[in-house]
Structures are given as C-alpha cells and as structure tokens.
Amino acid sequence: MTTSLVIAPVLVALVTAITCIFVRFDPRVQRACSIIGVVGYSAAVFALLARIWPANTLAYQLGDWPAPYGITLVADPLSGFLLALTAVVAPLTLIYSVRHLNPPGQRVSYHTLFHFLLVGATGAFLTGDIFNLFVWFEVTLMASYGLVAFYSDRDGTLAATRYVVLNLVGSSLMLLAVGGLYGVTGTLNMADMARWLAAASPAEATPVLGLSLLLLAVFALKAGLVPFQWWVPSAYAAAPAPAAAMLAGVAKKVGVYAIIRVGFVVFAAADPTFTLGGLAGDLLAAYGPVLFALAGASILVGGLVALDRPTFEETLAYSSIGQVGFIVLPLAVAAAVPALRTVGVAAALVYTLNHALAKPLLFLVGGIVEDATGTTELDVLGGLAGRSPTLAGVFLVGGLSLVGIPPLAGFFGKLLVFRTAALGDATAALGVAVLGAVLTIAYVSRMWNRAFWGERTDAVASMTDPDPVRLAIVVVLAGCIVAVGVGFGPVYGFAEAAGHVATGPGRDAYVRAVLGGGVA
Amino acid sequence: MTGDPEVVLALALGVLFAAGTFLVLRRDLVRVVFGVLVLSQATNVYLITMGGIGGVAPILGHGGETTDPLVQALVLTAVVIGFATTALLLVLVYRTYQEHGSIDLDDIQGAVR
C-alpha cells in the first residue's frame, strides 16, 4: 500500500465537494468545511510531493487491477509540478472567494463547483489512462460550465452557452481520437501505448499521427490557443473574479499538461526513423510546425487584442491567450529538435508556474478594484496608486512578472523560453517571442497608466477601502512570485526532473513504474 | 469478417457527422444543441465499430470470435456524460432565451455588441 497516497488529493477534493452539498443548510459550516477541505487537499498534495521529490514515480492501480487492464494513477515530477501550483493557488483563491461572493451564491453551488474543478484537474494530472483523461476533462468542464454561468446574467448565459457548445464538440473529437487510438494500438493505458509505439513499425504507427493531431486540437481548445480561443474572453469576463482566476490558473493548464503528457511522453515513443511525406524524425517532430503555428498566432493575437480592450478582465483574458502561447512556444521547438526535449518541457513548466501565479493575482486584483469602485472600465479608473498603494504594488509585481523582470518568476520563464528557441536555432520562434514580449510590456503598462497612475477619477475618489483579507491574499500571491524568482534553483531542478520524462530513459522509468512494480 | 455491415456503418457515420456538423453551424441555438447531440451520438456509433461487430457476446465458454466489450463500456460512460452535458446545455439555452428574448444567434450577437 506504499503507493496509495497517489489517490489522496483526488479523494480529499471529492469528499469535500460532496460534503459541501450536504452542509448547505448552514453557510458557516459549509464555508468551514470548504476551507478545511482545500487545506487538506494542499496537505495531501505536498505529502505526495515529498514522496516524488526529487525525481521518483509512483503508480497506483485502482482496485488492484493490474495495468494495462485497470486504471492507473501515476504521480511523477511532471504531475507533481502541476499539482504543486494547483495546491498553492487553490486555497488562496477559495479564501478570497468566501469574502468576494454573495452568501446565497456560495450556499447554492459555488463551493461544490470549486472543489469539483479541483477533482477534475487533479484527476487529469494524475491519470495514466487516456480514456480516463477524457473523463477527468469532463469533470473539470462540468464544474467550469457552472462557474462561467454563475451570475447567469445577459452576457453570462451567452458566454456559458458558447463555452459548453465548443467544449461538447471538442469532447466528441477527443472521443473519436481516443477510440481510434484504441482501435490502432489496442490499449488505453498511456505507458502501454508508449511501449506499443516503441515496438511498432513506421507503417503501423502512421494512423496514430492523424489521431494524435486530432487530440492536439482538443487540448489546444482546452488551453485556449488560437484558433480555438473564442470562448476565453467572454467566459473569463462572465465568471466571478476568483473563478476566472481558477480557470486561467488551473483549468487551462490541464490542456497544456495533456499536450506534454500525451505528446511528449506517449507519442514521442514511436520509432525515431518514422517518416511521412517530407517530415522526418519521430512522430512528435510532426507536432513542431503545428505547435509553432498555434503558439505564434496565440502570442500575436492575444498581445495585439489586449492592447485596446476596455476593461480589466478582458485585457487579462486576451493576455492569457498570449501567455499560453509563450508556454507552448518552447514545446514547439522541443518537438522539432529531439535533443531539446528536457529543456523545452522544463521551460514550458516554469512559464506555466509563472502564469499560474501571476494571472490569478491580476484577476483577483481586478476583483478587488471592481468591488471597491464598482467598475473595471479602464477609462473610468485612474489614480488607484495614490488611493491604495498596496493594491498598486501587488498589481505591479504581477504585471512585471508577466513582462519578465528579475527577480520575479516571470524573468526565468521568459529567459528559458528564449534560451530554448536560441538553442534550437529557431529564428522565427525567437522573433515571435521578442514581439510578444514587447506587446506584453505595452498592454501591462497601458493598464498601469490608465488605472493606477494619473489623476484620481470620481470612481476612485469615492471608492471604499479594499477588504484587508482579500488584499492579504494577493500580497501572499505576490510573495510567492518573488519567492519563486529568488529561490529559483530547486524550482528549476524539479522542472528539469519533470522534463526528463520526455526523454528515452525518463519514459522507460515511467513505463516501468506503471507496468512493473509501481515505484521507479 | 465480412465487409458488409461495416460498410453500412461507415456510410451511416458519414451521414451522421455531416448532419451534426451542418446543424452545429446553424444560427438557431436549438438546432445547435441538436447538432451537438447528433455529433456525440455519431461518435458513440464510431466507438462501437472500433470494437468490431459481428462477433458473439464475450462470455467465457460461448466460443467463437467475440466482440470487444471494452469499447461498449467506454460508450456507456460517454453516453452518461453526454446525457448530463446535454441537459445542462438545454437549460443554458433556455436561460439565454429568457435573458435575450431570442434563440437566433444573429439577433443575440447584434444586441450584445
């Protein structure tokens, strides 16, 4: 039973979600349950991390059915990295939500939806089975549908409908791809599929290429990459600020994680002499140009459109499209250049960590501003820096981290993205990254100039004092960003250990842990 | 295994996917819901064909070539998930109608923008 800890985070979040339904008769009890649950979740994740650290892989066979016949949950550094950032963002966001949302809304559904979102994301990070990944996606999505439709007003209903329709089409496509992969490889277990691909001849593996690109499109939809970004701005603007923080900070990262796990761990296992048309190299090499197109378009579209959005949260939503582009850019380079797999995945993970801390921080600052002034229109705001220096300081930390100023976490994110592109001799990727960096500086300084500097407008002059608890939460998040930047050594060490799973020996260790003894 | 039933299923799948895609692209939100439904059902039919058709029930001792039972378990899961999401989508479409007074996407978009 040494590996049963792997399932603990999922169980804690699931029990909390269900408990929150049954204790809704008393809002105080419900809030207490919810907060205790999320703290327990973080404790479970960090207990698991202590076992994974520095580079172990644990596999837990559900119901003791041996892999590949049963469902396997696998905790390796890649899963651990994403679980860790979830375990930091989730408790802060939840405590913020308790102060932010009106009591009736919390009582009916919010806490349950929040914890089901955690269940889904955690399950997706841990599962070693590709159909099970589909199920966890659906759990995450069901919860996020509820969060997007939370206010259920004019814009909210339309945004939620759009979000649901797009994702239902995405789910159908994913099911098609999963079914096809099962038909071709005869297995759903990711480790077993990697083993099958490693032994398959190029002719046998060819159908997998098309099916895997179908999967990639679905993951890009979940991650909100261009050209699948249509749901992002309306959904983030419609959701309550803390829910938008969770969607941008955690739910989007499920798509990024799936690209790494399925693309770099499973499909990269195919015979390295695989060729198709003009494309040589392994199966993953075909991903290179596709990922680059998605990442480049996201960086440019997100950055350009963010330049003239009228409100705080719309600017942040488009910024989040651009930032996910930055996460995928090193993956594109790494897919095309096999020698850079570890470096590229590590760069993507560090950037993911930066975005998962900075973007929720900015959404939460937006929520505080909206609560205190009654608006997030950049035209109506001005002079916030003089009115609330703490809030301004926190915004600056988050904004500068997006830009990439040392010693913040974002500096290392940008540095590693540029380094991967330079090592891969990818001039086009470097060019897009530089352009994207300039655009980021432009829209962050625009928000800063409009909302925080300048003359105090009427809305700001008559604003109420920001809630100290919520202010403390964003200060803690800002502290995390600084801490990651200052103590970057161990963070990068762990990201590199996670990236190692994208190499031959790392993949072998993963396969051994799942199909062999459960520990590697 | 003979090709005949599989050819029929392949043609049916093509028709279903075409119809689903056509409906999803309509302006009328209810037709979009129908389109999503047809697409997800088409996917389920596709999954069933992945397990092979024409074999006997996979029960020990029945003998002969069996049909793969795993895909049928997958389809059951997918049907349940599809049922829940479709119910939610119908509620959302109804709420959209209540808020906007129309289910024509052009009318709604025109009013919002």
Coordinates of all heavy atoms in Angstrom, one line a residue, chain A residues 131 134-135 138 142 145-146 149 152-155 157-158 160-162 164-165 168-169 172-173 175-180 182-184 188 211, chain B residues 17 24 29 32 36 39-40 43-44 46-47 50 68 70-71 74 77-78 81 84-85 88-89 92-93 95-96 99-100 105 108-109 111-112:
Chain A
F131 N -8.5 7.2 -21.8 CA -9.9 7.4 -21.7 C -10.3 8.1 -20.4 O -11.2 8.9 -20.3 CB -10.7 6.1 -21.9 CG -12.2 6.3 -21.9 CD1 -12.8 6.8 -23.0 CD2 -13.0 6.1 -20.8 CE1 -14.2 7.0 -23.1 CE2 -14.3 6.3 -20.8 CZ -14.9 6.7 -22.0
F134 N -10.1 11.7 -20.6 CA -11.3 12.3 -21.1 C -12.3 12.5 -20.0 O -13.0 13.5 -20.0 CB -11.9 11.3 -22.2 CG -13.3 11.6 -22.6 CD1 -13.6 12.6 -23.5 CD2 -14.3 10.8 -22.1 CE1 -14.9 12.8 -23.8 CE2 -15.6 11.0 -22.5 CZ -15.9 12.0 -23.3
V135 N -12.5 11.5 -19.2 CA -13.5 11.6 -18.1 C -13.1 12.8 -17.2 O -14.0 13.6 -16.8 CB -13.6 10.3 -17.3 CG1 -14.5 10.4 -16.1 CG2 -14.1 9.2 -18.2
E138 N -14.0 16.0 -18.6 CA -15.4 16.3 -18.5 C -15.8 16.8 -17.1 O -16.6 17.7 -17.0 CB -16.3 15.1 -18.9 CG -16.1 14.7 -20.3 CD -16.6 15.8 -21.3 OE1 -17.7 16.4 -21.1 OE2 -15.8 16.1 -22.2
M142 N -17.5 20.3 -16.5 CA -18.8 20.4 -15.9 C -18.8 21.5 -14.8 O -19.6 22.4 -14.7 CB -19.2 19.1 -15.3 CG -20.1 18.2 -16.1 SD -21.4 19.1 -16.9 CE -22.8 18.1 -16.7
Y145 N -18.3 25.0 -16.4 CA -19.6 25.5 -17.0 C -20.4 26.2 -15.9 O -20.9 27.3 -16.1 CB -20.5 24.3 -17.5 CG -19.9 23.5 -18.6 CD1 -20.3 22.2 -18.8 CD2 -18.9 24.0 -19.5 CE1 -19.8 21.4 -19.8 CE2 -18.4 23.2 -20.5 CZ -18.8 21.9 -20.7 OH -18.3 21.1 -21.7
G146 N -20.5 25.5 -14.8 CA -21.2 26.1 -13.7 C -20.6 27.4 -13.2 O -21.4 28.4 -12.9
A149 N -21.3 30.2 -15.8 CA -22.7 30.6 -15.8 C -23.2 31.1 -14.4 O -24.4 31.3 -14.1 CB -23.6 29.4 -16.2
S152 N -25.1 34.2 -14.3 CA -26.3 33.9 -15.1 C -27.0 35.1 -15.6 O -28.3 35.2 -15.7 CB -27.2 33.0 -14.3 OG -28.2 32.4 -15.1
D153 N -26.3 36.2 -15.9 CA -26.9 37.4 -16.5 C -26.9 37.4 -18.0 O -26.6 36.3 -18.6 CB -26.2 38.6 -15.9 CG -24.7 38.5 -16.1 OD1 -24.2 37.5 -16.8 OD2 -23.9 39.4 -15.7
R154 N -27.1 38.5 -18.6 CA -27.2 38.5 -20.1 C -26.0 38.0 -20.8 O -26.0 37.1 -21.6 CB -27.5 40.0 -20.6 CG -28.9 40.3 -20.6 CD -29.1 41.8 -21.0 NE -28.9 41.9 -22.5 CZ -29.8 41.7 -23.4 NH1 -31.0 41.3 -23.0 NH2 -29.5 41.9 -24.7
D155 N -24.8 38.5 -20.4 CA -23.6 38.1 -21.0 C -23.2 36.7 -20.5 O -22.6 35.9 -21.3 CB -22.4 39.1 -20.7 CG -22.7 40.4 -21.4 OD1 -23.6 40.5 -22.2 OD2 -22.0 41.4 -21.0
T157 N -25.0 34.0 -19.6 CA -25.7 32.9 -20.2 C -25.1 32.6 -21.6 O -24.9 31.5 -22.0 CB -27.2 33.1 -20.3 OG1 -27.4 34.4 -20.8 CG2 -27.9 33.0 -19.0
L158 N -24.9 33.7 -22.3 CA -24.4 33.5 -23.7 C -23.0 33.0 -23.7 O -22.7 32.1 -24.5 CB -24.5 34.9 -24.4 CG -24.2 34.8 -25.9 CD1 -25.2 33.9 -26.6 CD2 -24.2 36.2 -26.6
A160 N -21.6 31.2 -21.4 CA -21.6 29.8 -20.9 C -22.1 28.9 -22.0 O -21.6 27.8 -22.3 CB -22.5 29.7 -19.7
T161 N -23.2 29.3 -22.8 CA -23.7 28.5 -23.9 C -22.6 28.3 -24.9 O -22.3 27.2 -25.4 CB -24.9 29.2 -24.6 OG1 -25.8 29.6 -23.6 CG2 -25.5 28.3 -25.5
R162 N -21.9 29.4 -25.3 CA -20.8 29.3 -26.2 C -19.7 28.3 -25.8 O -19.2 27.4 -26.5 CB -20.2 30.7 -26.4 CG -19.2 30.8 -27.5 CD -18.7 32.2 -27.6 NE -19.7 33.2 -28.0 CZ -19.5 34.5 -27.8 NH1 -18.5 34.9 -27.1 NH2 -20.4 35.3 -28.2
V164 N -20.0 25.9 -23.6 CA -20.4 24.5 -23.5 C -20.5 23.9 -24.9 O -20.0 22.8 -25.1 CB -21.8 24.4 -22.8 CG1 -22.3 23.0 -22.9 CG2 -21.8 24.9 -21.4
V165 N -21.0 24.6 -25.9 CA -21.1 24.0 -27.2 C -19.7 23.7 -27.8 O -19.5 22.6 -28.3 CB -21.9 25.0 -28.2 CG1 -21.7 24.6 -29.6 CG2 -23.3 25.1 -27.8
L168 N -18.3 20.7 -26.0 CA -19.0 19.4 -26.4 C -18.5 18.9 -27.7 O -18.3 17.7 -27.9 CB -20.5 19.6 -26.4 CG -21.2 19.7 -25.0 CD1 -22.7 19.7 -25.2 CD2 -20.8 18.5 -24.2
V169 N -18.3 19.8 -28.7 CA -17.8 19.4 -30.0 C -16.3 18.9 -29.7 O -16.0 17.8 -30.3 CB -17.8 20.6 -31.0 CG1 -17.0 20.2 -32.2 CG2 -19.2 21.0 -31.3
S172 N -16.4 15.4 -28.3 CA -16.7 14.4 -29.4 C -15.5 14.1 -30.1 O -15.2 12.9 -30.4 CB -17.8 14.9 -30.3 OG -19.0 15.0 -29.7
L173 N -14.7 15.1 -30.5 CA -13.5 14.9 -31.2 C -12.5 14.1 -30.4 O -11.8 13.2 -30.9 CB -12.8 16.3 -31.6 CG -13.5 17.1 -32.7 CD1 -12.7 18.3 -33.0 CD2 -13.6 16.2 -33.9
L175 N -13.2 11.9 -28.1 CA -13.6 10.6 -28.0 C -13.3 9.8 -29.3 O -12.9 8.7 -29.3 CB -15.1 10.6 -27.8 CG -15.7 9.5 -26.9 CD1 -14.9 9.2 -25.7 CD2 -17.2 9.8 -26.6
L176 N -13.5 10.5 -30.4 CA -13.1 9.9 -31.7 C -11.6 9.5 -31.8 O -11.3 8.4 -32.2 CB -13.3 11.0 -32.8 CG -14.6 11.1 -33.5 CD1 -14.5 12.2 -34.6 CD2 -15.0 9.8 -34.1
A177 N -10.8 10.5 -31.3 CA -9.3 10.2 -31.3 C -9.0 9.0 -30.4 O -8.2 8.2 -30.7 CB -8.6 11.5 -30.9
V178 N -9.6 9.1 -29.2 CA -9.3 8.0 -28.2 C -9.8 6.6 -28.7 O -9.0 5.6 -28.7 CB -10.0 8.3 -26.9 CG1 -9.9 7.1 -25.9 CG2 -9.3 9.5 -26.2
G179 N -11.0 6.6 -29.3 CA -11.5 5.4 -29.9 C -10.6 4.9 -31.0 O -10.2 3.7 -31.1
G180 N -10.1 5.8 -31.9 CA -9.2 5.5 -33.0 C -7.9 4.9 -32.4 O -7.4 3.9 -32.9
Y182 N -7.4 3.5 -29.6 CA -7.6 2.1 -29.1 C -7.7 1.1 -30.2 O -7.2 0.0 -30.1 CB -8.9 2.1 -28.3 CG -9.3 0.7 -27.7 CD1 -8.5 0.2 -26.7 CD2 -10.3 0.0 -28.2 CE1 -8.7 -1.1 -26.3 CE2 -10.6 -1.2 -27.7 CZ -9.8 -1.8 -26.8 OH -10.1 -3.0 -26.3
G183 N -8.4 1.5 -31.3 CA -8.5 0.6 -32.5 C -7.2 0.3 -33.1 O -6.9 -0.9 -33.5
V184 N -6.3 1.2 -33.1 CA -5.0 1.0 -33.7 C -4.0 0.3 -32.8 O -3.3 -0.6 -33.1 CB -4.3 2.4 -34.2 CG1 -2.9 2.2 -34.7 CG2 -5.2 3.0 -35.2
L188 N -5.5 1.5 -23.9 CA -5.8 2.8 -23.5 C -4.8 3.4 -22.5 O -4.8 4.5 -22.2 CB -7.2 2.9 -22.9 CG -8.4 2.7 -23.9 CD1 -9.7 2.5 -23.2 CD2 -8.5 3.9 -24.8
L211 N -4.5 10.7 -35.7 CA -5.3 10.6 -34.5 C -4.7 11.5 -33.4 O -5.5 12.2 -32.7 CB -5.5 9.2 -34.0 CG -6.3 8.3 -34.9 CD1 -6.0 6.8 -34.6 CD2 -7.7 8.6 -34.8
Chain B
F17 N -22.2 12.4 -39.1 CA -21.2 13.5 -38.9 C -21.5 14.7 -39.7 O -21.5 15.9 -39.3 CB -19.8 13.1 -39.1 CG -19.2 12.4 -37.9 CD1 -18.9 11.1 -37.9 CD2 -18.9 13.1 -36.8 CE1 -18.3 10.4 -36.8 CE2 -18.4 12.5 -35.7 CZ -18.1 11.2 -35.7
V24 N -24.7 22.1 -36.2 CA -23.9 23.0 -35.3 C -23.7 24.3 -35.8 O -23.6 25.3 -35.1 CB -22.6 22.2 -34.9 CG1 -21.6 23.2 -34.3 CG2 -22.8 21.1 -34.0
L29 N -30.2 28.4 -31.9 CA -29.5 27.7 -30.8 C -30.0 26.3 -30.6 O -29.2 25.4 -30.3 CB -29.6 28.5 -29.5 CG -28.5 29.5 -29.2 CD1 -28.7 30.2 -27.9 CD2 -27.2 28.7 -29.1
V32 N -28.4 24.1 -32.9 CA -27.0 23.8 -32.5 C -27.0 22.7 -31.4 O -26.1 21.8 -31.5 CB -26.4 25.1 -31.9 CG1 -25.0 24.8 -31.3 CG2 -26.3 26.2 -33.0
V36 N -25.0 19.2 -31.7 CA -24.0 18.6 -30.8 C -24.5 17.2 -30.4 O -23.6 16.3 -30.3 CB -24.0 19.5 -29.5 CG1 -23.2 18.9 -28.4 CG2 -23.3 20.8 -29.9
L39 N -23.7 14.8 -33.2 CA -22.2 14.6 -33.2 C -21.8 13.6 -32.2 O -21.0 12.7 -32.4 CB -21.5 15.9 -33.1 CG -21.2 16.7 -34.3 CD1 -20.4 17.9 -33.9 CD2 -20.5 15.9 -35.4
S40 N -22.3 13.8 -30.9 CA -21.8 12.9 -29.9 C -22.4 11.5 -30.1 O -21.7 10.5 -29.8 CB -22.2 13.5 -28.5 OG -23.6 13.5 -28.3
T43 N -20.3 9.8 -32.6 CA -19.0 9.4 -32.0 C -19.2 8.0 -31.3 O -18.3 7.1 -31.4 CB -18.5 10.4 -31.0 OG1 -18.6 11.7 -31.6 CG2 -17.1 10.1 -30.5
N44 N -20.3 7.9 -30.6 CA -20.6 6.6 -29.9 C -20.7 5.5 -30.9 O -20.2 4.4 -30.6 CB -21.9 6.7 -29.1 CG -21.7 7.7 -27.9 OD1 -20.6 8.0 -27.5 ND2 -22.8 8.2 -27.4
Y46 N -19.3 5.3 -33.7 CA -18.0 5.1 -34.2 C -17.2 4.2 -33.2 O -16.5 3.3 -33.6 CB -17.3 6.4 -34.4 CG -15.8 6.4 -34.6 CD1 -15.2 6.2 -35.8 CD2 -15.0 6.7 -33.5 CE1 -13.8 6.2 -36.0 CE2 -13.6 6.7 -33.6 CZ -13.0 6.4 -34.9 OH -11.7 6.4 -35.0
L47 N -17.3 4.5 -31.9 CA -16.6 3.8 -30.9 C -17.0 2.3 -31.0 O -16.2 1.4 -30.8 CB -16.9 4.3 -29.5 CG -16.0 5.5 -29.0 CD1 -16.4 5.9 -27.6 CD2 -14.6 5.0 -29.0
M50 N -15.3 0.4 -33.5 CA -13.9 0.2 -33.2 C -13.7 -1.2 -32.5 O -12.6 -1.8 -32.6 CB -13.3 1.2 -32.3 CG -12.9 2.5 -33.0 SD -11.5 2.2 -34.0 CE -12.2 2.8 -35.6
D68 N -15.3 -7.0 -28.9 CA -14.5 -6.4 -27.8 C -15.5 -5.7 -26.8 O -16.2 -4.7 -27.3 CB -13.5 -5.4 -28.4 CG -12.6 -4.8 -27.3 OD1 -12.9 -5.0 -26.1 OD2 -11.6 -4.2 -27.7
L70 N -14.8 -3.9 -24.2 CA -14.2 -2.6 -23.6 C -14.9 -1.4 -24.2 O -15.3 -0.5 -23.5 CB -12.7 -2.6 -23.8 CG -12.1 -1.4 -23.0 CD1 -11.8 -1.8 -21.6 CD2 -10.9 -0.9 -23.7
V71 N -15.0 -1.4 -25.6 CA -15.5 -0.1 -26.2 C -16.9 0.1 -25.8 O -17.4 1.2 -25.7 CB -15.4 -0.2 -27.8 CG1 -14.0 0.0 -28.2 CG2 -16.0 -1.5 -28.3
L74 N -16.8 1.9 -22.7 CA -16.5 3.3 -22.9 C -17.7 4.0 -23.4 O -18.0 5.2 -23.0 CB -15.4 3.4 -24.0 CG -14.1 2.7 -23.8 CD1 -13.1 3.1 -24.8 CD2 -13.5 3.1 -22.4
T77 N -20.0 5.0 -20.6 CA -19.5 6.2 -19.9 C -19.8 7.4 -20.7 O -20.3 8.4 -20.2 CB -18.0 6.0 -19.7 OG1 -17.7 4.7 -19.2 CG2 -17.5 7.0 -18.7
A78 N -19.5 7.4 -22.0 CA -19.7 8.6 -22.8 C -21.2 9.0 -22.9 O -21.5 10.1 -22.9 CB -19.1 8.3 -24.2
I81 N -22.1 10.8 -19.7 CA -21.6 12.2 -19.7 C -22.3 13.0 -20.6 O -22.7 14.2 -20.3 CB -20.0 12.1 -20.0 CG1 -19.3 11.4 -18.9 CG2 -19.5 13.5 -20.2 CD1 -17.8 11.2 -19.2
A84 N -25.7 14.2 -19.3 CA -25.6 15.3 -18.3 C -25.3 16.6 -19.0 O -26.0 17.6 -18.7 CB -24.6 14.9 -17.3
T85 N -24.3 16.6 -19.9 CA -24.0 17.9 -20.5 C -25.1 18.4 -21.4 O -25.3 19.6 -21.5 CB -22.7 17.7 -21.3 OG1 -22.7 16.5 -22.1 CG2 -21.5 17.7 -20.4
L88 N -27.6 20.1 -19.3 CA -27.1 21.4 -18.9 C -27.2 22.4 -20.0 O -27.6 23.6 -19.8 CB -25.7 21.3 -18.4 CG -25.0 22.6 -17.9 CD1 -25.5 22.9 -16.5 CD2 -23.5 22.5 -17.9
L89 N -26.9 21.9 -21.2 CA -26.9 22.8 -22.4 C -28.3 23.3 -22.7 O -28.5 24.5 -23.0 CB -26.3 22.1 -23.6 CG -26.1 22.9 -24.8 CD1 -25.3 24.2 -24.6 CD2 -25.5 22.1 -25.9
L92 N -29.1 26.0 -20.3 CA -28.5 27.2 -20.7 C -29.1 27.9 -21.8 O -29.2 29.2 -21.9 CB -27.0 26.9 -21.0 CG -26.1 26.9 -19.8 CD1 -24.7 26.4 -20.2 CD2 -26.0 28.3 -19.2
V93 N -29.6 27.1 -22.8 CA -30.2 27.7 -24.0 C -31.5 28.4 -23.6 O -31.9 29.5 -24.0 CB -30.5 26.7 -25.1 CG1 -31.4 27.2 -26.2 CG2 -29.1 26.2 -25.7
R95 N -32.2 29.6 -20.6 CA -31.8 30.8 -19.8 C -31.4 31.9 -20.8 O -31.7 33.1 -20.6 CB -30.6 30.5 -18.9 CG -31.0 29.8 -17.6 CD -31.8 30.7 -16.7 NE -31.0 31.9 -16.3 CZ -31.5 33.1 -16.3 NH1 -32.7 33.4 -16.6 NH2 -30.7 34.1 -15.9
T96 N -30.7 31.5 -21.9 CA -30.3 32.5 -22.9 C -31.5 33.1 -23.5 O -31.6 34.4 -23.7 CB -29.4 31.9 -24.0 OG1 -28.4 31.2 -23.3 CG2 -28.7 32.9 -24.9
E99 N -33.1 35.6 -21.1 CA -32.3 36.8 -21.0 C -32.4 37.7 -22.2 O -32.4 38.9 -22.1 CB -30.8 36.5 -20.7 CG -30.6 36.0 -19.3 CD -30.8 37.0 -18.2 OE1 -30.6 38.2 -18.5 OE2 -31.1 36.6 -17.1
H100 N -32.4 37.1 -23.4 CA -32.2 37.8 -24.6 C -33.5 37.9 -25.4 O -33.6 38.6 -26.4 CB -31.1 37.2 -25.5 CG -29.8 37.3 -24.9 ND1 -28.9 38.4 -25.1 CD2 -29.1 36.5 -24.0 CE1 -27.8 38.2 -24.4 NE2 -27.9 37.1 -23.7
L105 N -28.9 33.4 -33.1 CA -27.6 33.9 -32.6 C -27.3 35.3 -33.2 O -26.6 36.1 -32.6 CB -26.5 32.9 -33.0 CG -26.4 31.8 -32.0 CD1 -25.5 30.7 -32.5 CD2 -25.8 32.3 -30.7
I108 N -29.0 37.8 -31.1 CA -28.4 38.0 -29.8 C -27.1 38.7 -29.9 O -26.8 39.7 -29.1 CB -28.2 36.6 -29.2 CG1 -29.5 35.9 -28.9 CG2 -27.4 36.7 -27.9 CD1 -29.4 34.4 -28.5
Q109 N -26.2 38.3 -30.8 CA -24.9 39.0 -31.0 C -25.1 40.5 -31.3 O -24.4 41.3 -30.8 CB -24.1 38.3 -32.2 CG -23.8 36.9 -31.9 CD -22.6 36.7 -31.1 OE1 -22.2 37.7 -30.4 NE2 -22.0 35.5 -31.0
A111 N -27.5 42.4 -30.4 CA -27.9 43.1 -29.3 C -26.7 43.3 -28.3 O -26.6 44.3 -27.6 CB -29.0 42.4 -28.6
V112 N -25.8 42.3 -28.2 CA -24.8 42.4 -27.3 C -23.7 43.4 -27.7 O -23.2 44.2 -27.0 CB -24.1 41.0 -27.0 CG1 -22.8 41.1 -26.2 CG2 -25.1 40.1 -26.3

